[in-house]
Amino acid sequence: MSSQESYALCALAQMGQLSVGELSRFLFETGLVAETDLKLPLTSLKEQGLVYQTVNLRGIVYEITDAGRTLVNGDATLARINVDVAAKSAEYKRVFEQEKDYIAQYTESSTGVVPVFLSIRDGSRIILKINIIVRDIDTAKKICSGWMGNSARAFDAVWQAIAGDAPDPGFWTSRPEEGKA
């Protein structure tokens, strides 16, 4: 098993369901794995029956199988990796949980424009959805990385523009703090 596969498997054991982006972000930002494309390692883990793929509101996500969990707990090398991963997972569990209702994605296009898809969700219900077009990937990345921290301001601005002085519908039980992601 490759190093990338080992760390991805242990991350899924500790974190639960993760998208490819979340898994890559966790492994890279914690310094466990250099920035890399995890599609091949995840495909290999899936073919070995150690993870499975499903689709939910966040898109395609991966989750460890019982066989994968048994391997992580029974293999000495994976058990050591799992300890390292566990030490770094608590903060990211909190961050990913907080971010799950603030979806921000972009798609590269061959036409020279980049569509950006932003939404605020309350479980499966979409509260606000904004689709915009930008000219480059760097702008799309900047918008996506700031979406959670700025989504409450965006919602307020849109609500004010379309509803005027009507009271805010109060969808949120708690809003993200402005400027914090």
Side-chain angles (χ1 to χ4, degrees):
M1 179 176 295
S2 76
S3 173
Q4 292 172 342
E5 290 172 348
S6 298
Y7 278 97
L9 188 63
C10 290
L12 292 170
Q14 290 297 322
M15 304 279 290
Q17 282 187 350
L18 293 175
S19 68
V20 174
E22 290 168 336
L23 182 57
S24 295
R25 178 178 163 195
F26 170 71
L27 293 174
F28 176 70
E29 289 182 6
T30 56
L32 293 167
V33 173
E35 189 168 21
T36 186
D37 184 356
L38 291 175
K39 290 177 186 165
L40 288 176
L42 286 169
T43 299
S44 174
L45 290 171
K46 193 172 107 177
E47 289 171 354
Q48 295 173 59
L50 302 174
V51 301
Y52 67 93
Q53 170 184 330
T54 188
V55 177
N56 66 20
L57 292 172
R58 294 181 332 211
I60 296 172
V61 293
Y62 290 85
E63 192 166 352
I64 193 167
T65 63
D66 290 339
R69 197 167 301 283
T70 300
L71 181 62
V72 167
N73 294 328
D75 181 274
T77 302
L78 288 175
R80 283 191 301 278
I81 290 171
N82 200 35
V83 169
D84 291 342
V85 171
K88 299 180 180 195
S89 66
E91 174 66 16
Y92 279 85
K93 281 182 187 178
R94 186 190 63 76
V95 168
F96 291 154
E97 181 65 27
Q98 193 176 25
E99 290 177 351
K100 75 179 181 184
D101 288 334
Y102 303 90
I103 309 299
Q105 299 172 328
Y106 65 89
T107 304
E108 294 186 45
S109 170
S110 61
T111 62
V113 296
V114 181
V116 179
F117 309 99
L118 306 168
S119 67
I120 302 170
R121 297 174 186 257
D122 181 15
S124 63
R125 184 172 53 150
I126 297 173
I127 296 169
L128 176 69
K129 184 175 182 180
I130 301 171
N131 298 334
I132 58 175
I133 303 293
V134 298
R135 294 178 188 212
D136 57 68
I137 297 293
D138 290 337
T139 302
K141 286 179 181 178
K142 183 177 180 181
I143 291 168
C144 289
S145 69
W147 177 239
M148 186 180 158
N150 294 307
S151 60
R153 286 187 13 218
F155 179 85
D156 290 341
V158 169
W159 183 258
Q160 184 66 35
I162 62 174
D165 293 332
D168 182 318
F171 290 117
W172 282 291
T173 54
S174 66
R175 287 184 177 208
E177 294 180 44
E178 285 189 20
K180 293 188 178 179

